[in-house]
Short mmCIF file of all heavy atoms in Angstrom, two decimals:
data_model
loop_
_atom_site.label_atom_id
_atom_site.label_comp_id
_atom_site.label_asym_id
_atom_site.label_seq_id
_atom_site.Cartn_x
_atom_site.Cartn_y
_atom_site.Cartn_z
N LYS A 228 -7.83 -28.88 -9.26
CA LYS A 228 -8.05 -30.18 -8.64
C LYS A 228 -8.32 -29.99 -7.16
O LYS A 228 -7.66 -29.18 -6.52
CB LYS A 228 -6.82 -31.06 -8.84
CG LYS A 228 -6.60 -31.38 -10.31
CD LYS A 228 -5.68 -32.54 -10.50
CE LYS A 228 -5.47 -32.80 -11.98
NZ LYS A 228 -4.42 -33.77 -12.23
N PRO A 229 -9.27 -30.75 -6.62
CA PRO A 229 -9.66 -30.50 -5.23
C PRO A 229 -8.51 -30.67 -4.24
O PRO A 229 -8.39 -29.88 -3.31
CB PRO A 229 -10.78 -31.52 -4.97
CG PRO A 229 -10.70 -32.50 -6.09
CD PRO A 229 -10.08 -31.79 -7.24
N PHE A 230 -7.64 -31.67 -4.44
CA PHE A 230 -6.58 -31.87 -3.43
C PHE A 230 -5.58 -30.73 -3.43
O PHE A 230 -4.80 -30.57 -2.51
CB PHE A 230 -5.87 -33.21 -3.63
CG PHE A 230 -5.26 -33.38 -4.99
CD1 PHE A 230 -4.01 -32.86 -5.28
CD2 PHE A 230 -5.95 -34.06 -5.98
CE1 PHE A 230 -3.47 -33.02 -6.53
CE2 PHE A 230 -5.39 -34.22 -7.24
CZ PHE A 230 -4.17 -33.70 -7.52
N LEU A 231 -5.58 -29.93 -4.51
CA LEU A 231 -4.68 -28.77 -4.52
C LEU A 231 -5.34 -27.54 -3.91
O LEU A 231 -4.70 -26.54 -3.69
CB LEU A 231 -4.23 -28.47 -5.95
CG LEU A 231 -3.27 -29.50 -6.55
CD1 LEU A 231 -2.99 -29.17 -7.99
CD2 LEU A 231 -1.99 -29.57 -5.74
N GLN A 232 -6.65 -27.62 -3.65
CA GLN A 232 -7.37 -26.45 -3.12
C GLN A 232 -7.59 -26.56 -1.61
O GLN A 232 -8.04 -25.61 -0.99
CB GLN A 232 -8.73 -26.32 -3.82
CG GLN A 232 -8.63 -26.18 -5.33
CD GLN A 232 -7.87 -24.93 -5.73
OE1 GLN A 232 -8.08 -23.87 -5.17
NE2 GLN A 232 -6.96 -25.06 -6.68
N GLY A 233 -7.27 -27.72 -1.05
CA GLY A 233 -7.58 -27.97 0.36
C GLY A 233 -7.02 -26.92 1.30
O GLY A 233 -7.65 -26.55 2.29
N TYR A 234 -5.82 -26.39 0.96
CA TYR A 234 -5.16 -25.46 1.87
C TYR A 234 -5.86 -24.12 1.97
O TYR A 234 -5.60 -23.33 2.87
CB TYR A 234 -3.71 -25.25 1.43
CG TYR A 234 -3.62 -24.34 0.24
CD1 TYR A 234 -3.44 -22.97 0.42
CD2 TYR A 234 -3.78 -24.81 -1.06
CE1 TYR A 234 -3.42 -22.12 -0.66
CE2 TYR A 234 -3.77 -23.97 -2.13
CZ TYR A 234 -3.58 -22.63 -1.92
OH TYR A 234 -3.58 -21.78 -2.98
N LYS A 235 -6.77 -23.81 1.00
CA LYS A 235 -7.33 -22.45 0.93
C LYS A 235 -8.07 -22.05 2.21
O LYS A 235 -8.08 -20.88 2.57
CB LYS A 235 -8.30 -22.34 -0.27
CG LYS A 235 -7.59 -22.41 -1.59
CD LYS A 235 -7.85 -21.20 -2.46
CE LYS A 235 -6.79 -21.14 -3.54
NZ LYS A 235 -7.02 -20.22 -4.61
N SER A 236 -8.73 -23.02 2.84
CA SER A 236 -9.49 -22.67 4.04
C SER A 236 -8.56 -22.17 5.15
O SER A 236 -8.97 -21.44 6.04
CB SER A 236 -10.28 -23.87 4.54
OG SER A 236 -9.39 -24.91 4.88
N LEU A 237 -7.29 -22.55 5.10
CA LEU A 237 -6.34 -22.12 6.13
C LEU A 237 -6.11 -20.62 6.13
O LEU A 237 -5.83 -20.03 7.17
CB LEU A 237 -4.97 -22.74 5.86
CG LEU A 237 -4.60 -23.99 6.62
CD1 LEU A 237 -5.15 -25.16 5.88
CD2 LEU A 237 -3.10 -24.06 6.74
N LEU A 238 -6.17 -20.03 4.93
CA LEU A 238 -5.74 -18.64 4.80
C LEU A 238 -6.54 -17.74 5.72
O LEU A 238 -6.04 -16.74 6.20
CB LEU A 238 -5.89 -18.18 3.34
CG LEU A 238 -5.03 -18.94 2.32
CD1 LEU A 238 -5.34 -18.47 0.92
CD2 LEU A 238 -3.55 -18.76 2.61
N THR A 239 -7.81 -18.09 5.96
CA THR A 239 -8.64 -17.20 6.77
C THR A 239 -9.14 -17.88 8.05
O THR A 239 -10.16 -17.50 8.58
CB THR A 239 -9.85 -16.74 5.95
OG1 THR A 239 -10.48 -17.88 5.40
CG2 THR A 239 -9.45 -15.80 4.84
N SER A 240 -8.39 -18.86 8.54
CA SER A 240 -8.89 -19.62 9.69
C SER A 240 -8.49 -19.01 11.03
O SER A 240 -8.76 -19.59 12.08
CB SER A 240 -8.39 -21.06 9.63
OG SER A 240 -6.99 -21.08 9.74
N LYS A 241 -7.85 -17.84 11.00
CA LYS A 241 -7.32 -17.26 12.25
C LYS A 241 -8.41 -17.11 13.31
O LYS A 241 -8.26 -17.60 14.43
CB LYS A 241 -6.72 -15.89 11.92
CG LYS A 241 -6.08 -15.21 13.11
CD LYS A 241 -5.25 -14.02 12.66
CE LYS A 241 -4.78 -13.19 13.82
NZ LYS A 241 -5.71 -12.13 14.18
N ASN A 242 -9.54 -16.46 12.96
CA ASN A 242 -10.58 -16.21 13.96
C ASN A 242 -11.12 -17.50 14.54
O ASN A 242 -11.32 -17.61 15.75
CB ASN A 242 -11.73 -15.42 13.33
CG ASN A 242 -11.31 -14.04 12.96
OD1 ASN A 242 -10.26 -13.57 13.40
ND2 ASN A 242 -12.10 -13.36 12.15
N THR A 243 -11.38 -18.48 13.67
CA THR A 243 -11.92 -19.75 14.15
C THR A 243 -11.01 -20.36 15.19
O THR A 243 -11.46 -20.77 16.26
CB THR A 243 -12.05 -20.73 12.96
OG1 THR A 243 -12.50 -20.02 11.82
CG2 THR A 243 -12.99 -21.85 13.27
N GLU A 244 -9.71 -20.41 14.87
CA GLU A 244 -8.77 -21.04 15.81
C GLU A 244 -8.74 -20.30 17.14
O GLU A 244 -8.73 -20.92 18.20
CB GLU A 244 -7.37 -21.06 15.20
CG GLU A 244 -7.20 -22.19 14.20
CD GLU A 244 -5.94 -22.05 13.39
OE1 GLU A 244 -4.99 -21.36 13.85
OE2 GLU A 244 -5.87 -22.62 12.29
N GLU A 245 -8.74 -18.97 17.09
CA GLU A 245 -8.66 -18.22 18.34
C GLU A 245 -9.91 -18.41 19.19
O GLU A 245 -9.83 -18.57 20.40
CB GLU A 245 -8.40 -16.74 18.06
CG GLU A 245 -6.94 -16.52 17.74
CD GLU A 245 -6.63 -15.11 17.31
OE1 GLU A 245 -7.56 -14.28 17.29
OE2 GLU A 245 -5.46 -14.85 17.00
N THR A 246 -11.08 -18.40 18.52
CA THR A 246 -12.32 -18.62 19.27
C THR A 246 -12.30 -19.98 19.93
O THR A 246 -12.65 -20.13 21.11
CB THR A 246 -13.53 -18.55 18.31
OG1 THR A 246 -13.40 -17.39 17.51
CG2 THR A 246 -14.83 -18.49 19.08
N MET A 247 -11.86 -21.00 19.17
CA MET A 247 -11.84 -22.34 19.73
C MET A 247 -10.88 -22.43 20.92
O MET A 247 -11.19 -23.06 21.93
CB MET A 247 -11.45 -23.35 18.66
CG MET A 247 -12.57 -23.62 17.68
SD MET A 247 -12.04 -24.61 16.29
CE MET A 247 -12.25 -26.23 16.96
N ALA A 248 -9.72 -21.78 20.79
CA ALA A 248 -8.74 -21.84 21.89
C ALA A 248 -9.33 -21.17 23.13
O ALA A 248 -9.16 -21.64 24.26
CB ALA A 248 -7.44 -21.17 21.49
N ASN A 249 -10.07 -20.06 22.94
CA ASN A 249 -10.67 -19.39 24.09
C ASN A 249 -11.70 -20.27 24.76
O ASN A 249 -11.76 -20.32 25.99
CB ASN A 249 -11.36 -18.09 23.64
CG ASN A 249 -10.37 -16.95 23.58
OD1 ASN A 249 -9.51 -16.86 24.44
ND2 ASN A 249 -10.49 -16.11 22.59
N LEU A 250 -12.51 -20.96 23.96
CA LEU A 250 -13.51 -21.84 24.55
C LEU A 250 -12.84 -23.04 25.23
O LEU A 250 -13.29 -23.49 26.28
CB LEU A 250 -14.49 -22.33 23.48
CG LEU A 250 -15.42 -21.27 22.91
CD1 LEU A 250 -16.30 -21.86 21.83
CD2 LEU A 250 -16.29 -20.68 24.02
N ALA A 251 -11.76 -23.52 24.61
CA ALA A 251 -11.09 -24.70 25.17
C ALA A 251 -10.56 -24.42 26.56
O ALA A 251 -10.46 -25.32 27.39
CB ALA A 251 -9.95 -25.13 24.25
N ARG A 252 -10.25 -23.15 26.84
CA ARG A 252 -9.71 -22.82 28.17
C ARG A 252 -10.72 -23.08 29.27
O ARG A 252 -10.37 -23.22 30.44
CB ARG A 252 -9.26 -21.37 28.21
CG ARG A 252 -7.99 -21.15 27.41
CD ARG A 252 -7.73 -19.69 27.18
NE ARG A 252 -7.31 -19.04 28.41
CZ ARG A 252 -7.24 -17.72 28.53
NH1 ARG A 252 -7.58 -16.95 27.52
NH2 ARG A 252 -6.86 -17.18 29.65
N TRP A 253 -12.00 -23.14 28.93
CA TRP A 253 -13.00 -23.45 29.97
C TRP A 253 -12.99 -24.91 30.35
O TRP A 253 -13.48 -25.28 31.41
CB TRP A 253 -14.41 -23.06 29.48
CG TRP A 253 -14.62 -21.60 29.39
CD1 TRP A 253 -14.71 -20.85 28.26
CD2 TRP A 253 -14.78 -20.68 30.48
NE1 TRP A 253 -14.91 -19.53 28.57
CE2 TRP A 253 -14.95 -19.41 29.93
CE3 TRP A 253 -14.79 -20.82 31.87
CZ2 TRP A 253 -15.13 -18.27 30.71
CZ3 TRP A 253 -14.96 -19.69 32.64
CH2 TRP A 253 -15.12 -18.44 32.06
N GLU A 254 -12.49 -25.75 29.44
CA GLU A 254 -12.44 -27.18 29.77
C GLU A 254 -11.25 -27.42 30.66
O GLU A 254 -10.22 -27.94 30.24
CB GLU A 254 -12.32 -27.99 28.47
CG GLU A 254 -13.56 -27.90 27.61
CD GLU A 254 -13.37 -28.52 26.24
OE1 GLU A 254 -12.27 -29.01 25.95
OE2 GLU A 254 -14.32 -28.48 25.45
N LEU A 255 -11.43 -27.07 31.95
CA LEU A 255 -10.30 -27.05 32.87
C LEU A 255 -9.60 -28.39 32.93
O LEU A 255 -8.39 -28.48 32.99
CB LEU A 255 -10.79 -26.68 34.27
CG LEU A 255 -11.25 -25.24 34.40
CD1 LEU A 255 -11.77 -25.01 35.79
CD2 LEU A 255 -10.09 -24.31 34.10
N TRP A 256 -10.40 -29.42 32.92
CA TRP A 256 -9.80 -30.73 33.02
C TRP A 256 -10.08 -31.50 31.75
O TRP A 256 -11.13 -31.37 31.15
CB TRP A 256 -10.38 -31.48 34.21
CG TRP A 256 -9.74 -32.81 34.36
CD1 TRP A 256 -8.59 -33.09 35.02
CD2 TRP A 256 -10.21 -34.02 33.81
NE1 TRP A 256 -8.30 -34.41 34.90
CE2 TRP A 256 -9.28 -35.01 34.17
CE3 TRP A 256 -11.31 -34.39 33.06
CZ2 TRP A 256 -9.42 -36.33 33.78
CZ3 TRP A 256 -11.44 -35.71 32.67
CH2 TRP A 256 -10.51 -36.66 33.04
N HIS A 257 -9.13 -32.28 31.33
CA HIS A 257 -9.34 -33.04 30.11
C HIS A 257 -8.73 -34.42 30.31
O HIS A 257 -7.64 -34.56 30.82
CB HIS A 257 -8.67 -32.32 28.94
CG HIS A 257 -9.01 -32.94 27.63
ND1 HIS A 257 -8.42 -34.11 27.23
CD2 HIS A 257 -9.88 -32.57 26.68
CE1 HIS A 257 -8.92 -34.43 26.05
NE2 HIS A 257 -9.81 -33.53 25.69
N TYR A 258 -9.46 -35.44 29.84
CA TYR A 258 -9.02 -36.79 30.18
C TYR A 258 -7.67 -37.15 29.57
O TYR A 258 -6.99 -38.05 30.05
CB TYR A 258 -10.09 -37.82 29.79
CG TYR A 258 -10.27 -37.99 28.31
CD1 TYR A 258 -9.66 -39.02 27.63
CD2 TYR A 258 -11.08 -37.10 27.61
CE1 TYR A 258 -9.83 -39.17 26.27
CE2 TYR A 258 -11.25 -37.24 26.26
CZ TYR A 258 -10.62 -38.28 25.59
OH TYR A 258 -10.78 -38.41 24.26
N ARG A 259 -7.27 -36.42 28.54
CA ARG A 259 -5.97 -36.76 27.96
C ARG A 259 -4.87 -35.81 28.42
O ARG A 259 -3.74 -36.21 28.61
CB ARG A 259 -6.05 -36.72 26.43
CG ARG A 259 -6.35 -38.10 25.87
CD ARG A 259 -6.99 -38.00 24.54
NE ARG A 259 -6.03 -38.00 23.46
CZ ARG A 259 -6.36 -37.76 22.19
NH1 ARG A 259 -7.61 -37.48 21.89
NH2 ARG A 259 -5.47 -37.78 21.26
N PHE A 260 -5.23 -34.55 28.60
CA PHE A 260 -4.19 -33.59 28.95
C PHE A 260 -4.12 -33.34 30.44
O PHE A 260 -3.17 -32.76 30.92
CB PHE A 260 -4.45 -32.25 28.26
CG PHE A 260 -4.55 -32.37 26.79
CD1 PHE A 260 -5.67 -31.95 26.12
CD2 PHE A 260 -3.50 -32.90 26.07
CE1 PHE A 260 -5.75 -32.05 24.75
CE2 PHE A 260 -3.57 -33.01 24.70
CZ PHE A 260 -4.71 -32.59 24.03
N GLY A 261 -5.15 -33.77 31.19
CA GLY A 261 -5.18 -33.42 32.60
C GLY A 261 -5.32 -31.92 32.73
O GLY A 261 -6.10 -31.29 32.00
N PHE A 262 -4.53 -31.34 33.62
CA PHE A 262 -4.69 -29.91 33.87
C PHE A 262 -3.77 -29.03 33.06
O PHE A 262 -3.80 -27.81 33.18
CB PHE A 262 -4.50 -29.60 35.35
CG PHE A 262 -5.72 -29.91 36.15
CD1 PHE A 262 -5.81 -31.06 36.91
CD2 PHE A 262 -6.79 -29.03 36.12
CE1 PHE A 262 -6.95 -31.33 37.63
CE2 PHE A 262 -7.93 -29.31 36.85
CZ PHE A 262 -8.01 -30.45 37.60
N CYS A 263 -2.90 -29.64 32.27
CA CYS A 263 -2.02 -28.75 31.50
C CYS A 263 -2.59 -28.59 30.09
O CYS A 263 -2.98 -29.54 29.43
CB CYS A 263 -0.59 -29.29 31.47
SG CYS A 263 -0.41 -30.82 30.61
N HIS A 264 -2.69 -27.37 29.66
CA HIS A 264 -3.44 -27.07 28.44
C HIS A 264 -2.52 -26.53 27.39
O HIS A 264 -1.99 -25.45 27.53
CB HIS A 264 -4.50 -26.03 28.73
CG HIS A 264 -5.18 -26.27 30.01
ND1 HIS A 264 -6.03 -27.32 30.18
CD2 HIS A 264 -5.07 -25.63 31.18
CE1 HIS A 264 -6.45 -27.32 31.41
NE2 HIS A 264 -5.89 -26.31 32.05
N PRO A 265 -2.31 -27.26 26.34
CA PRO A 265 -1.42 -26.75 25.29
C PRO A 265 -2.17 -25.88 24.29
O PRO A 265 -1.76 -25.77 23.15
CB PRO A 265 -0.90 -28.03 24.64
CG PRO A 265 -1.97 -29.04 24.87
CD PRO A 265 -2.82 -28.59 26.00
N TRP A 266 -3.27 -25.21 24.71
CA TRP A 266 -4.08 -24.48 23.72
C TRP A 266 -3.30 -23.36 23.05
O TRP A 266 -3.40 -23.16 21.85
CB TRP A 266 -5.34 -23.89 24.35
CG TRP A 266 -6.08 -24.82 25.23
CD1 TRP A 266 -6.60 -24.52 26.45
CD2 TRP A 266 -6.39 -26.20 24.98
NE1 TRP A 266 -7.21 -25.64 26.97
CE2 TRP A 266 -7.10 -26.67 26.10
CE3 TRP A 266 -6.14 -27.08 23.94
CZ2 TRP A 266 -7.55 -27.97 26.21
CZ3 TRP A 266 -6.59 -28.37 24.05
CH2 TRP A 266 -7.29 -28.81 25.16
N LYS A 267 -2.52 -22.65 23.87
CA LYS A 267 -1.74 -21.55 23.29
C LYS A 267 -0.78 -22.08 22.24
O LYS A 267 -0.56 -21.46 21.21
CB LYS A 267 -0.95 -20.84 24.38
CG LYS A 267 -1.77 -19.80 25.09
CD LYS A 267 -0.87 -18.91 25.92
CE LYS A 267 -1.71 -17.90 26.67
NZ LYS A 267 -0.93 -17.23 27.71
N GLN A 268 -0.22 -23.26 22.55
CA GLN A 268 0.69 -23.88 21.62
C GLN A 268 -0.01 -24.19 20.29
O GLN A 268 0.55 -23.99 19.22
CB GLN A 268 1.22 -25.17 22.27
CG GLN A 268 2.52 -25.66 21.70
CD GLN A 268 3.62 -24.63 21.82
OE1 GLN A 268 3.63 -23.84 22.75
NE2 GLN A 268 4.50 -24.61 20.86
N TYR A 269 -1.27 -24.64 20.39
CA TYR A 269 -2.02 -24.93 19.17
C TYR A 269 -2.22 -23.68 18.34
O TYR A 269 -2.13 -23.71 17.11
CB TYR A 269 -3.38 -25.56 19.51
CG TYR A 269 -3.26 -27.00 19.91
CD1 TYR A 269 -3.88 -27.47 21.06
CD2 TYR A 269 -2.53 -27.90 19.15
CE1 TYR A 269 -3.76 -28.79 21.45
CE2 TYR A 269 -2.40 -29.22 19.53
CZ TYR A 269 -3.01 -29.66 20.68
OH TYR A 269 -2.89 -30.95 21.05
N VAL A 270 -2.55 -22.58 19.03
CA VAL A 270 -2.74 -21.33 18.29
C VAL A 270 -1.44 -20.94 17.60
O VAL A 270 -1.43 -20.50 16.44
CB VAL A 270 -3.23 -20.21 19.22
CG1 VAL A 270 -3.31 -18.89 18.49
CG2 VAL A 270 -4.59 -20.56 19.79
N LYS A 271 -0.33 -21.15 18.30
CA LYS A 271 0.97 -20.81 17.73
C LYS A 271 1.25 -21.67 16.49
O LYS A 271 1.63 -21.15 15.44
CB LYS A 271 2.06 -21.05 18.79
CG LYS A 271 3.39 -20.39 18.46
CD LYS A 271 4.38 -20.63 19.60
CE LYS A 271 5.78 -20.68 19.08
NZ LYS A 271 6.73 -21.20 20.09
#
Side-chain angles (χ1 to χ4, degrees):
Chain A
K228 294 197 181 171
F230 57 83
L231 289 175
Q232 302 298 317
Y234 76 93
K235 291 237 162 168
S236 62
L237 262 85
L238 298 176
T239 52
S240 64
K241 183 168 171 270
N242 293 345
T243 320
E244 280 168 22
E245 281 174 2
T246 312
M247 285 172 86
N249 275 321
L250 291 177
R252 288 166 72 192
W253 289 108
E254 293 171 0
L255 290 177
W256 182 85
H257 188 284
Y258 69 98
R259 266 155 91 188
F260 304 122
F262 280 102
C263 66
H264 319 289
W266 315 136
K267 276 193 182 167
Q268 202 58 31
Y269 284 131
V270 175
K271 196 177 150 192

